[in-house]
Amino acid sequence: MQYETVIGLEVHVQLDTRSKMFCACPADYQTADPNTPTCPVCLGLPGALPVINRRAVEFTMMTGLALNCSIPEYAKFDRKNYPYPDLMKGYQISQYDLPLALDGYVEIDGDPSIGHTQRRIGVERVHLEEDVAKMQHFPDGDGGEGYSLVDVNRSGVPLMEIVSKPDLRSPEEAHQYLTSLHSLVQFLGVSTANMQDGNFRCDANVSIRPVGSDTFGTRTEIKNVNSFRSVFQALEFEVERQQRVVESGGQVVQETRGWVEEREVTVSQRSKEYAHDYRYFPEPDLPPLNIGRDWVTQLQASLPELAPQRKARFIADYGLSEYDADLLTNTRATADYFEAALSIRDVDRSPDTALDSAKEVANWILGDLSRLLNQDHRDIAASPVTPTGLSDLLRLIADGTLSISLAKTVLEEMYASGGDAAAIVEEKGLAQISDTSAIEAAVAEAIAANPKAVADYLDGKENAARFLMGQVMRITKGQAQPDLALRLVQEGLAAQKN
Ligand SMILES: [Zn+2]
């Protein structure tokens, strides 16, 4: 039998606010010592009262608007009750029936291997809740149960949940959807969305059904997936597992399964909870939210340009290729870096050279700078070479001080030391030699040391001139102005003929 895959994703995004969701503790919990940014509210002590973080509410509504959702006029918070040791109060403040954003969509390319192009994936809702504390388990060496420690730093950090409709039809489509959500929250500036740090996490609901059926099969939920690659692998594994179960005459059980990275399998964790297990009720310590339309209009107007629009503008305004524009808008930090370097660069450029200049800046960022950054897994936002620094370097190429190859050396030096281009050129004596007499000496030396090449040239082998020019570059440690060096080699060889 042929099966169709049905996937829905729940994506949890930690919001990049200064304080936590319901208290004034700093939300940047990862750099702090365990159990330090805490207070009675996020410790869940009796009698402590929560206060709503306005910025977190705005970030959630901005995300909803960017996802083409409608923002209801009325929303509220609810208590979701469950007894977990990482949940300090014994309940989580979340949103149940009246979330902050409803009914939007995301456009994806679609999975061509199942005949899909350009698909619209429904977003059911975007709601706001608080993150829980972090448990760490330490097994004891003798095979006993060991012990666990709780770090409350993460407790109360604003957490936004984006719930898709079950519209995804393959692991590839799930991957595309996740990638566009990731880009969207990053460009909006509402989250750092760093997957390694758990700022952006995903649970996947997956089921299969016979092709042509319009009822859903029993679904399982996969938890603990924290990279794009794991989501893809976990879904592929789970789809195949369900097919094997059904084909061997069994039934898929509704349950929560965990993805075990090392073994690349999903394993049963517990039977799935239903909404009624959580005994939701309206949070009595918080007022409901009346969301004025002028507030929504204001937020709509404040939305920054997102990756697809920015990419289109890079192609139209700067004449970049689709490929380059795609790479430059891969993260907001890269796009910002590019435009910052370019704007400094354009100050002393006329409009007709602006397009060349964009291509040149793009090449340096995507080429040598990216190579250096990748080598030590550094984000471009933390690059020791700033946009101003790169722009200064390119100015030294434009005015003839540096050849391209010398500029590459200077860039590496700038990256290593954080120094500025002109100072490095000065200090290391790296400026290009454009002085004829200095190069002539090197030409004479090259000609004297390579009689075979000279003879070849005189025999009509023009390539020998290139070889001698290479020797001149070697003698001058790459500093001779290349065109001038070639011309002087040719003159020197012509003199040999007579
Ligand atoms: Zn607190």
Side-chain angles (χ1 to χ4, degrees):
M1 188 182 295
Q2 289 278 56
Y3 294 98
E4 180 179 54
T5 301
V6 177
I7 299 167
L9 296 181
E10 295 169 10
V11 175
H12 283 100
V13 184
Q14 273 178 358
L15 297 177
D16 194 16
T17 52
R18 278 169 54 206
S19 57
K20 289 186 182 178
M21 187 59 227
F22 299 115
C23 62
C25 293
D28 178 20
Y29 64 95
Q30 314 217 46
T31 50
D33 288 337
N35 299 312
T36 51
T38 60
C39 72
V41 173
C42 54
L43 282 167
L45 300 185
L49 289 174
V51 176
I52 300 171
N53 182 330
R54 182 189 172 99
R55 199 66 189 133
V57 172
E58 291 185 334
F59 278 176
T60 306
M61 291 199 284
M62 283 165 67
T63 306
L65 289 167
L67 288 169
N68 313 292
C69 292
S70 56
I71 308 295
E73 300 196 8
Y74 186 79
K76 70 174 169 65
F77 287 98
D78 300 278
R79 282 190 187 181
K80 180 181 183 181
N81 299 277
Y82 62 94
Y84 269 30
D86 58 5
L87 189 57
M88 304 315 289
K89 299 188 291 293
Y91 60 84
Q92 179 188 31
I93 304 179
S94 180
Q95 295 191 287
Y96 182 48
D97 51 344
L98 298 169
L100 282 164
L102 282 163
D103 206 19
Y105 62 86
V106 174
E107 310 258 12
I108 61 166
D109 291 340
D111 183 353
S113 79
I114 49 171
H116 283 171
T117 48
Q118 278 305 311
R119 295 201 62 222
R120 187 173 273 200
I121 305 304
V123 170
E124 195 169 292
R125 54 189 276 149
V126 185
H127 71 249
L128 185 54
E129 58 192 27
E130 53 180 337
D131 211 341
V132 297
K134 223 175 186 166
M135 299 282 292
Q136 237 190 312
H137 304 283
F138 299 87
D140 77 10
D142 306 328
E145 284 188 353
Y147 61 98
S148 299
L149 296 178
V150 184
D151 178 3
V152 185
N153 289 4
R154 194 176 70 178
S155 170
V157 168
L159 197 61
M160 172 172 75
E161 183 171 339
I162 303 168
V163 183
S164 85
K165 293 185 177 156
D167 289 348
L168 299 157
R169 290 292 171 268
S170 73
E172 166 61 23
E173 291 193 347
H175 186 266
Q176 292 177 9
Y177 169 85
L178 216 50
T179 314
S180 30
L181 272 196
H182 187 258
S183 159
L184 183 130
V185 295
Q186 244 201 10
F187 273 76
L188 281 176
V190 303
S191 174
T192 56
N194 190 333
M195 289 187 103
Q196 278 114 4
D197 290 345
N199 300 144
F200 188 94
R201 328 195 276 266
C202 167
D203 298 338
N205 287 297
V206 51
S207 62
I208 55 167
R209 63 183 174 189
V211 169
S213 160
D214 53 5
T215 53
F216 292 121
T218 305
R219 63 175 201 226
T220 56
E221 183 176 16
I222 312 169
K223 296 250 185 202
N224 295 339
V225 257
N226 53 10
S227 75
F228 289 125
R229 195 172 138 265
S230 308
V231 173
F232 187 81
Q233 288 181 318
L235 284 169
E236 282 209 314
F237 176 89
E238 187 55 19
V239 168
E240 277 168 33
R241 188 192 67 85
Q242 291 189 9
Q243 284 183 12
R244 279 198 306 274
V245 169
V246 172
E247 270 162 12
S248 64
Q251 276 193 330
V252 175
V253 181
Q254 177 157 348
E255 64 183 349
T256 299
R257 299 179 69 88
W259 171 243
V260 187
E261 187 79 54
E262 310 79 61
R263 288 166 45 214
E264 299 190 351
V265 295
T266 65
V267 295
S268 178
Q269 287 186 325
R270 56 177 190 263
S271 63
K272 167 77 186 159
E273 293 92 347
Y274 294 85
H276 64 251
D277 292 328
Y278 292 120
R279 296 174 293 111
Y280 280 103
F281 62 85
E283 169 58 55
D285 289 336
L286 290 173
L289 295 164
N290 288 303
I291 305 165
R293 292 304 93 182
D294 43 345
W295 194 15
V296 177
T297 313
Q298 235 174 56
L299 290 173
Q300 179 84 57
S302 77
L303 295 184
E305 200 179 26
L306 301 175
Q309 291 84 32
R310 213 157 170 188
K311 178 180 161 187
R313 184 166 62 77
F314 281 8
I315 295 171
D317 290 5
Y318 302 134
L320 294 181
S321 67
E322 165 112 21
Y323 181 77
D324 286 353
D326 207 37
L327 290 174
L328 287 171
T329 52
N330 195 20
T331 66
R332 180 176 169 173
T334 311
D336 287 347
Y337 188 104
F338 168 70
E339 291 211 287
L342 195 60
S343 69
I344 302 161
R345 185 104 187 87
D346 273 343
V347 173
D348 51 1
R349 286 285 193 122
S350 64
D352 8 320
T353 53
L355 288 185
D356 296 342
S357 149
K359 179 67 187 150
E360 190 189 8
V361 172
N363 285 346
W364 280 89
I365 294 174
L366 299 175
D368 290 85
L369 183 61
S370 292
R371 178 176 53 77
L372 292 167
L373 291 165
N374 289 342
Q375 267 167 15
D376 40 87
H377 308 286
R378 203 191 288 242
D379 191 88
I380 196 165
S383 168
V385 181
T386 61
T388 314
L390 180 61
S391 173
D392 289 343
L393 178 70
L394 300 192
R395 197 169 288 119
L396 294 178
I397 301 174
D399 71 11
T401 308
L402 291 176
S403 63
I404 302 286
S405 78
L406 284 173
K408 286 174 189 265
T409 310
V410 174
L411 182 77
E412 285 183 13
E413 198 60 41
M414 291 168 77
Y415 186 87
S417 69
D420 84 29
I424 289 168
V425 168
E426 173 83 34
E427 182 191 326
K428 307 251 165 185
L430 284 173
Q432 177 164 259
I433 303 169
S434 316
D435 169 17
T436 310
S437 60
I439 300 177
E440 274 172 344
V443 170
E445 189 185 331
I447 287 177
N450 295 283
K452 167 115 183 17
V454 176
D456 284 351
Y457 182 82
L458 296 177
D459 271 354
K461 291 182 186 157
E462 302 261 323
N463 272 344
R466 285 265 157 207
F467 168 77
L468 288 167
M469 175 199 163
Q471 296 305 303
V472 172
M473 296 307 287
R474 191 181 55 78
I475 294 165
T476 59
K477 300 192 174 65
Q479 284 173 262
Q481 204 271 318
D483 292 344
L484 185 55
L486 183 60
R487 189 164 59 79
L488 293 174
V489 164
Q490 281 162 340
E491 285 176 13
L493 286 168
Q496 298 278 321
K497 271 186 194 166
N498 308 324

